[in-house]
Amino acid sequence: FKQKTAYEIGVRLVGSEMCIRDRAGVEIPTNCTSGNCGTCLVRLKSGEIDYPDPLPPGLDKSLVEDGGVLSCCMQAAGVCDIDVIPPL
């Protein structure tokens, strides 16, 4: 049994990354659900995310440069491809 680490969702959904992944059945760990802890960190492979200013405590500029996205509180700005393996 090999666990998949990437998912393709062929529908357009509105909401935070957390809402979308929950509706699609993708399991990503969460803890605070407010961007403070970084537990839900995933990697953006393509697409755009609307990052808040200032960044939440669970994310820093270097993680953003490496494609880091907090799936609990970030909004996609269109179609995105994410990897559930974080950029660490």
Side-chain angles (χ1 to χ4, degrees), residues 41-63:
L41 184 66
V42 296
R43 183 167 28 106
L44 180 68
K45 294 173 69 177
S46 66
E48 292 184 35
I49 298 290
D50 291 329
Y51 289 95
D53 186 25
L55 290 172
L59 194 61
D60 62 31
K61 193 173 184 175
S62 66
L63 285 171

Side-chain angles (χ1 to χ4, degrees), residues 24-84:
V26 177
E27 293 184 26
I28 299 172
T30 60
N31 191 16
C32 72
T33 66
S34 61
N36 289 312
C37 69
T39 302
C40 65
L41 184 66
V42 296
R43 183 167 28 106
L44 180 68
K45 294 173 69 177
S46 66
E48 292 184 35
I49 298 290
D50 291 329
Y51 289 95
D53 186 25
L55 290 172
L59 194 61
D60 62 31
K61 193 173 184 175
S62 66
L63 285 171
V64 170
E65 289 170 357
D66 289 337
V69 174
L70 296 176
S71 63
C72 75
C73 62
M74 303 277 170
Q75 296 283 334
V79 176
C80 291
D81 183 15
I82 63 165
D83 190 337
V84 297

